[in-house]
């Protein structure tokens, strides 16, 4: 008699992605949070409170993402977002406490001001327009303000000791992030819209002109050149994308390169 050994083959293990309520799927947003803080450190020099500003930015984004999924999910499935919302809320509170201890109560004014555009973006999410242009511009406004908190966390003394350098740092940061928003939308969601492409190019040109005027008031001449480069990319790359498909990764790398520049 021959004994036949049977082998049991276990099915291949599938690696499942982390739930979107825990890990955001919009990876390009990370540069919007990190680059303003880095810029603020470059302008003002390093300080302890800047670590907590970065922590608030990252934890706030994670909480906002989880809260957005809560708004978009059916009522029966919303319990899946409770754990990430609670976790990130705790982290956010800890980072906020650290910021208060290192920067003082004057930073509360900044946090309150930055909440306003975030509320606009969240209301857009509740209305099903979370990825609209208006929502993106509001979010870009809040993320760009991180450079101001990083440079000078005390809001009352910020106005008393205001320097044009601080204002230009914010304007350049907002110009770049908002231009990124237009450029990316023109290659993905508004890929076939000539009207949106024209609006994107017009928005870029407006920042070229704004920074050109700024050179008359002390802004380095490199900035109009930088926005001219962004304008060329925003005009040429969407046309190329219509002929040959560009992956979101390729588009993201181009914008990341401009952010690093």
């Amino acid at each position: 008699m021959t004994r036949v050994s049977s082998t049991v083959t276990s099915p291949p293990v599938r690696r499942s992605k982390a739930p979107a309520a825990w890990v955001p799927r919009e990876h390009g947003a990370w540069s919007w949070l990190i680059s303003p803080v880095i810029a603020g450190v470059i302008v003002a020099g390093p300080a302890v409170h800047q670590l907590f500003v970065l922590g608030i930015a990252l934890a706030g984004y994670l909480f906002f993402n989880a809260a957005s999924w809560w708004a978009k999910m059916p009522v029966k499935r919303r319990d899946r977002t409770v754990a990430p919302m609670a976790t990130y809320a705790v982290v956010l509170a800890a980072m906020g406490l650290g910021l208060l201890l290192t920067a003082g109560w004057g930073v509360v004014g900044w946090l309150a001001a930055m909440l306003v555009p975030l509320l606009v973006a969240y209301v857009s999410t509740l209305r099903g327009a979370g990825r609209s242009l208006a929502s993106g511009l509001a979010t870009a406004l809040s993320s760009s303000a991180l450079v101001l908190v990083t440079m000078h966390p005390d809001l009352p003394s910020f106005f008393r000791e205001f320097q044009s350098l601080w204002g230009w740092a914010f304007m350049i940061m907002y110009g770049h992030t908002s231009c990124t928003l237009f450029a990316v939308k023109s290659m993905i969601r508004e890929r076939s819209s000539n009207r949106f492409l024209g609006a994107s190019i017009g928005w870029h040109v407006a920042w070229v002109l704004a920074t050109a005027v700024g050179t008359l008031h002390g802004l380095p001449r490199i900035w109009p050149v930088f926005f001219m480069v962004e304008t060329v990319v925003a005009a040429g790359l969407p046309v190329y994308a219509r002929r040959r498909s560009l992956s979101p990764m390729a588009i993201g790398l181009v914008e990341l390169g401009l952010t690093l520049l």
Side-chain angles (χ1 to χ4, degrees):
M1 179 182 291
T2 305
R3 179 178 294 178
V4 179
S5 61
S6 60
T7 58
V8 179
T9 307
S10 57
V13 178
R14 296 183 63 183
R15 294 182 179 180
S16 59
K17 295 182 178 179
W22 281 100
V23 181
R25 293 174 180 173
E26 298 293 335
H27 302 300
W30 297 111
S31 66
W32 280 29
L33 304 171
I34 298 172
S35 57
V37 177
I38 294 176
V41 173
I42 292 173
V43 173
V48 177
H49 79 274
Q50 294 161 349
L51 295 175
F52 293 103
V53 172
L54 181 59
I56 285 177
L58 298 178
Y61 172 51
L62 293 170
F63 177 82
F64 185 91
N65 172 73
S68 297
W69 277 104
W70 179 89
K72 291 184 287 187
M73 279 187 173
V75 175
K76 294 182 179 180
R77 296 174 58 192
R78 283 180 174 175
D79 59 327
R80 300 182 183 182
T81 65
V82 174
M85 287 175 66
T87 301
Y88 295 138
V90 171
V91 176
L92 189 58
M95 291 293 125
L97 179 60
L99 183 59
L100 283 176
L101 293 176
T102 55
W105 286 98
V107 75
V108 174
W110 278 126
L111 298 179
M114 293 169 64
L115 274 177
V116 175
L118 288 178
L119 288 174
V120 172
Y122 191 68
V123 169
S124 298
T125 299
L126 293 177
R127 294 179 176 178
R131 298 194 180 188
S132 65
L133 180 61
S135 176
L137 289 174
T139 307
L141 187 65
S142 186
S143 70
S144 300
L146 288 169
V147 72
L148 299 176
V149 189
T150 304
M151 291 187 299
H152 200 91
D154 188 277
L155 184 59
S157 66
F158 173 85
F159 289 111
R160 291 195 303 266
E161 305 168 12
F162 181 78
Q163 300 178 20
S164 60
L165 174 63
W166 300 343
W168 282 117
F170 168 73
M171 292 294 292
I172 289 169
M173 188 59 61
Y174 183 68
H176 170 62
T177 53
S178 60
C179 283
T180 297
L181 177 68
F182 271 92
V184 171
K185 280 187 175 294
S186 68
M187 287 181 276
I188 300 180
R189 291 186 173 274
E190 302 289 346
R191 181 178 176 180
S192 59
S193 174
N194 290 327
R195 182 178 179 181
F196 190 89
L197 178 58
S200 174
I201 295 173
W203 185 265
H204 282 74
V205 170
W207 284 100
V208 174
L209 297 177
T211 49
V213 172
T215 60
L216 303 176
H217 302 278
L219 186 68
R221 295 179 180 177
I222 190 64
W223 290 111
V225 176
F226 171 77
F227 280 104
M228 285 179 65
V229 171
E230 285 209 322
T231 302
V232 171
V233 173
L237 206 58
V239 175
Y240 177 84
R242 291 181 181 183
R243 298 176 181 177
R244 295 187 177 182
S245 180
L246 287 175
S247 67
M249 174 65 75
I251 295 171
L253 288 175
V254 170
E255 295 301 326
L256 180 60
L258 290 171
T259 300
L260 293 173
L261 178 62

